[in-house]
Amino acid sequence: MTRRFTGIIAVSSALLVACSGSGNVPSNDLLDLINVKRAAAGCAKVAGDELLRVAAERHAVDIRDHPGHFGAPGTPPLGDLHSGTDLSNPGTRIDAAGYSPKSRWGEVVYTASGAGYNTAQATIDWWMNSPPHKATIENCAFTDAGVGLLYPSRVKWIAVLDFATH
């Protein structure tokens, strides 16, 4: 069982009911856990935003579809997990999704493979134990967030969370 994570800054094979800013129930769980951590840090909750979800899902799909560029989930990254194969970065993906104007943005990414690592709780636990990820999550200036979550075959896990503020 391995996991891989990176940097500062989810789609499902099954259609499940979720809230704005998430594409499925595990994505909604992840957004809820983010808001618990933000509240503990004295920050307001981020609102789920569909445009940010679109940007985050776009990048999660890119990571899934290009293991030769990013590395397979659960293995060490081959490079910057925030730079897309099309040379996009989180800010350009957020712009392309139509979230505008934005005054700030951030992104956190987590990938894993194997039981125990491919859950919303494992994701938030890792992010909160990583100072750059924790700082992004606890940035009280962010007002909105969108979750992109892929979990192919329910074994691999690719989570991208995009934050922004108008």
Side-chain angles (χ1 to χ4, degrees), residues 4-9 59-60 62-64 66-71 75-93 105-111 132-133 160 162:
R4 173 184 64 158
F5 334 92
T6 186
I8 302 179
I9 322 215
H59 194 52
D62 193 26
I63 292 169
R64 180 201 63 200
H66 298 97
H69 179 80
F70 296 103
T75 65
L78 298 177
D80 178 11
L81 285 183
H82 300 287
S83 298
T85 57
D86 60 357
L87 305 180
S88 65
N89 65 45
T92 59
R93 289 188 294 271
W105 54 264
E107 180 176 77
V108 291
V109 175
Y110 171 95
T111 70
H133 293 87
V160 177
D162 283 339

Side-chain angles (χ1 to χ4, degrees), residues 112-162:
S113 181
Y117 300 115
N118 56 357
T119 67
Q121 188 63 55
T123 304
I124 192 68
D125 289 346
W126 192 89
W127 281 337
M128 296 308 290
N129 285 307
S130 164
H133 293 87
K134 182 178 181 179
T136 299
I137 291 165
E138 293 180 345
N139 183 335
C140 295
F142 291 129
T143 58
D144 301 311
V147 179
L149 176 64
L150 297 173
Y151 46 107
S153 304
R154 299 199 184 272
V155 174
K156 297 176 182 174
W157 184 271
I158 303 164
V160 177
L161 183 60
D162 283 339

